[in-house]
Every structure is written in structure tokens, then in C-alpha cells.
Amino acid sequence: MLGAGTRWHIAATPASVSLRAILRALAAMESPLMRLLGLVLLVATSVLIFGLGAILLLVTHPAVLPMMPPPQDPHGSHIPVGLMFARAAHGFFTIAIVSLISFNFVMCVVTNPGNTDFLGPELARVKMAVAVASVTRLRQGPQRNPEARGEGDSERNRTADLVQDDDWNQSVNGGAGASNGRQEEYVQLLVNGGDSAQLGMGSDDCDSYGVLEMRMCKTCLLPKPARAHHCRVCNKCVLKMDHHCPWINNCVGHFNHRYFTLFTTYAAIGTLYFTLINMPVFYDIFLSGKVRDSKKHKSYRIPNIIRLDVYLLFCTLAGALSIMLTVLAGLNLYYVCTAQTQIEVLENRWLQNMARANGGTFVNEYDVGTVRNLRVHLNVRRNDWRGWTAGLLRLWPRGPVGDGVHYTRVSTVFSAASGSNDRDFA
């Protein structure tokens, strides 16, 4: 019989061992597989953008717009003014939307989203500066002021005498008196990563990024600022990481999030426009059974520069992509207008539930209002038509607000004493 203290030992079966090995192998292959998939999707996205733009200009332009019946006159037919205006508007809009999609897509791919590689040397520099300043202060000792010092300052007097003592100076310089208690405490602060105040100087003196107060990433072993997360595909901590997008083969982070927002928005508009304007042609050719070579009931004439099956393929892809991109762009705009990333949505939801359970209210410190959040995201500092035009239709690089470590907060926008550029969005 089995007693109460009997322990069960379950031996690992060959099947479980092989399954673990397969899972470890797949985890190791995740990054190269995602990179390979990203390259394939990158080429596919480029072909789609070029193909949709070419069809809009070379196929839809002569196929749809000339179907407006021109009036007949004794001297022949002529193109009405309305048709000429429609053709010009269609050509201008097509070139503009394809240019905006292409530019923001390229910027999403080539722009570094921002990583924490620069914070490693920054942490070493700050600790060295703090150490030098702390040693200098310990050598100099506190400033003596006989008039302001009272009789109750005997302990401080003894400390000043200790600092100015030759034995203490030798201990600071690594001499025989290295067993001094205050120096041991100071060394422990350095080893354990004490903050600037403990080490004897203000945090604004040399630590402009605040690396001494940051968390440390367990994977890349570098300081991790607020809103930064580690990407397993890129194997780096990405500043203000939103997600890793295989369609651009890059992470969406602080420095390319604006381009990603504009790319998805314009791509949704472009595919939706392509679907709507080509819907009569698609219906006439594919659904009603009419082909371009039929002599009866020929409503639309497709140019011979493109195969019929290729045209139908692009119409089908555009219809599916218009739905997908509209949902994606809508969700991304919602996150932007609420000052959240896709990762922070889950974190903030958990914090909101915890606050509600404890009778409190969760407040997102980065949420400065819907319109202000959009202006900060697009770097629209002038709240007029010129500012919005530059933020939405600009075809040259435009950096984000902030450096990826410091972000716009409610306190920096609405604080009258704030000297930062965040006051531009108030």
C-alpha cells in the first residue's frame, strides 16, 4: 500500500523529450523564420502597391471614365468638361495616394524604431560621473559655517573632522585605511547601483535620461525606459514598442510609429477607392458573364496591356485588403488617440481592473486628450491647416516628439512652469 508520504516520480518519456526538443528548436528558429517571412511580405507589399497604382492609371482611367456617353454633334463627338475634370481628378488623386502610401511604407521599413543600445554606455558614463563627484564631495567634506551651526551640531562636526582627516583621505585613495565604515557604505552604493541622491549629487547633474532609476532588461542586460519592450525577433529592446510587423519586416516603435499610422490609413483609403471605382468593371466582366471580346452588350473595354485574370486578381485582393486595412487603421488610430500602444492596451486594462477592484481610478499619464494625442503622434505643433497639412501630407522625413525616453505627459503639457516643447500642444 502507498503511504501518505509517498512521492511520485514520473519518468520523462521519449515522446515528451522529443516534443521539448522540437519546441526549443522552433523557439530558436522563430527569429530567422520571421525575418524570412518579413522579406517575402516586403516584396509582396511592394508589388501590390505598384500593381494597384498601375491598374488605376493604365486600366481604370481609360476603362471607366470614357464610358460617360459623349454628346454627338454634326462635326463628331467631343469630350465634355465634366469628363475632363473627372479624368484629371482621378489621375491627381491616384498619383497622390500612391505617393503617400509608397513614401510612408519606405519610411516604415528603413527607419530605425529606436532601441536601447545607447543606454549601456550612458549608464557607464553616468555611474563614472557620479562616482567622481561623490569622491570629490567626500574629500572636500561639508562646508563649515560657524554662524549657522549651533551647539546641537556636534555629530556633524565630528563627520567633517573625519572627512578632513588624513586617514580618511588615504582610505578614499585606496590606502591602508580602506576599512573605514563610511567608505564601505559608499562602495556598496556604487556596487548595488545606488541612485544619484544616495551617491551625493542631484539626478539632473549628469543623468539626463534617468538611467539610474530605469529597469534592467533580463535579455539584453541594458536599461529599459518606460514604454520600452524587448522584441524576440529583433532581439533588442524597442523604444515605445507597438508590435513587430512582418509586412514591413521591422518593429513599430517610437521613431517610425507615425509613418506606420499614415501608411495604414492611406493604404486603407487607396484600396477602398480602388475597390469602389473598379466595382462596375469587375461586376460587368466577372459576375454578369460579359467579357471584353464579346461583340454584344460590351459595356467596358479593358486595355490589352493587362491580362483579364491579373486584373480580376488585383480586384479581389484590393477588396479583401480594403476591409482588413480599414479595421487595422481604425484600431491603430484608436490606440493613438488614447495614447496607448498595442502592448499598453493590455497592461492598462489590467491596471484599470486592479484600480476598480480597490475602489480607485486608473489614469493614463500619457493621455492628454484625443486631439492633442493625435497632434503629438503626428508632431503637429501648429493647430491650424498649415500644421495639419505638414503633418499629414508631408513627403519628407519628420521626426516624432520626444527622444524615446521622455514622453509627453499631462503634467508637462498643462504645467505653466514647464519649459519643455510640450507646451506647444496645450
Side-chain angles (χ1 to χ4, degrees):
M1 296 180 62
L2 298 176
T6 302
R7 294 182 179 180
W8 295 86
H9 297 279
I10 301 177
T13 61
S16 61
V17 174
S18 61
L19 181 60
R20 292 175 184 174
I22 292 174
L23 292 177
R24 284 195 295 267
L26 291 177
M29 294 173 59
E30 179 184 8
S31 179
L33 286 177
M34 287 295 295
R35 285 293 185 182
L36 180 60
L37 177 62
L39 291 176
V40 174
L41 293 178
L42 194 63
V43 175
T45 306
S46 304
V47 172
L48 280 173
I49 295 174
F50 176 78
L52 294 178
I55 290 177
L56 280 174
L57 286 176
L58 302 178
V59 178
T60 307
H61 195 274
V64 176
L65 297 179
M67 291 314 300
M68 297 177 61
Q72 302 294 331
D73 55 30
H75 301 285
S77 61
H78 66 276
I79 301 178
V81 178
L83 179 58
M84 295 178 60
F85 178 79
R87 289 171 65 93
H90 171 76
F92 175 79
F93 179 80
T94 301
I95 295 175
I97 197 69
V98 172
S99 301
L100 290 170
I101 293 173
S102 303
F103 171 77
N104 288 284
F105 172 71
V106 171
M107 295 304 298
C108 281
V109 176
V110 301
T111 303
N112 187 347
N115 53 65
T116 59
D117 291 345
F118 71 99
L119 292 180
E122 180 70 13
L123 178 62
R125 184 194 66 79
V126 170
K127 281 198 171 185
M128 180 61 67
V130 171
V132 172
S134 301
V135 170
T136 303
R137 289 196 177 191
L138 288 174
R139 285 179 176 177
Q140 295 175 352
Q143 298 293 331
R144 294 187 175 185
N145 187 358
E147 297 179 358
R149 187 171 56 206
E151 297 179 355
D153 295 339
S154 58
E155 182 65 26
R156 187 167 56 188
N157 296 341
R158 287 194 297 269
T159 302
D161 295 337
L162 177 63
V163 172
Q164 294 178 350
D165 190 76
D166 293 337
D167 294 337
W168 169 251
N169 292 331
Q170 292 178 3
S171 67
V172 171
N173 294 324
S179 60
N180 187 281
R182 289 192 60 190
Q183 186 194 10
E184 291 180 358
E185 179 182 358
Y186 164 73
V187 173
Q188 289 297 323
L189 286 174
L190 284 178
V191 172
N192 297 329
D195 58 24
S196 304
Q198 291 175 310
L199 291 173
M201 65 187 304
S203 60
D204 296 333
D205 292 339
C206 66
D207 191 5
S208 58
Y209 289 108
V211 292
L212 293 178
E213 286 78 22
M214 289 181 185
R215 303 167 296 164
M216 295 294 293
C217 178
K218 298 179 181 179
T219 304
C220 56
L221 302 178
L222 290 173
K224 184 161 62 173
R227 314 186 80 176
H229 297 275
H230 190 85
C231 176
R232 293 182 298 178
V233 179
C234 301
N235 197 25
K236 291 182 179 180
C237 281
V238 179
L239 301 175
K240 193 187 173 184
M241 180 178 177
D242 189 81
H243 68 286
H244 184 91
C245 181
W247 290 95
I248 62 174
N249 197 27
N250 198 2
C251 273
V252 178
H254 177 68
F255 291 98
N256 65 346
H257 198 177
R258 171 184 176 271
Y259 300 120
F260 180 80
T261 300
L262 295 178
F263 165 65
T264 54
T265 303
Y266 290 132
I269 295 174
T271 53
L272 187 61
Y273 175 76
F274 182 94
T275 302
L276 293 177
I277 199 171
N278 284 280
M279 188 176 294
V281 184
F282 181 81
Y283 176 81
D284 185 59
I285 295 177
F286 185 70
L287 298 181
S288 63
K290 299 175 183 178
V291 295
R292 58 181 175 181
D293 296 330
S294 62
K295 298 181 179 180
K296 298 181 178 179
H297 307 291
K298 184 165 59 177
S299 301
Y300 295 96
R301 186 184 300 275
I302 302 297
N304 294 325
I305 60 176
I306 186 173
R307 291 171 54 90
L308 185 61
D309 51 357
V310 175
Y311 173 76
L312 296 178
L313 174 62
F314 272 92
C315 287
T316 305
L317 290 176
L321 288 174
S322 63
I323 300 174
M324 182 187 72
L325 288 172
T326 301
V327 175
L328 177 62
L331 286 175
N332 187 66
L333 287 175
Y334 168 74
Y335 297 149
V336 168
C337 292
T338 54
Q340 302 178 99
T341 62
Q342 291 189 21
I343 300 176
E344 291 174 348
V345 167
L346 302 177
E347 296 178 351
N348 292 342
R349 189 176 302 169
W350 180 81
L351 292 174
Q352 186 176 8
N353 294 334
M354 291 294 295
R356 188 182 297 111
N358 293 301
T361 303
F362 170 73
V363 177
N364 184 7
E365 60 177 337
Y366 305 108
D367 189 0
V368 294
T370 301
V371 179
R372 291 191 184 93
N373 291 333
L374 192 59
R375 289 177 56 199
V376 169
H377 182 76
L378 299 176
N379 196 2
V380 179
R381 296 188 178 274
R382 297 182 56 180
N383 193 16
D384 54 14
W385 67 272
R386 294 181 180 178
W388 285 102
T389 302
L392 295 174
L393 304 177
R394 188 169 180 169
L395 287 180
W396 54 90
R398 186 182 182 91
V401 177
D403 55 4
V405 177
H406 305 100
Y407 298 99
T408 302
R409 289 179 167 87
V410 177
S411 58
T412 59
V413 171
F414 299 103
S415 175
S418 176
S420 64
N421 293 329
D422 293 341
R423 289 287 298 165
D424 298 340
F425 304 101

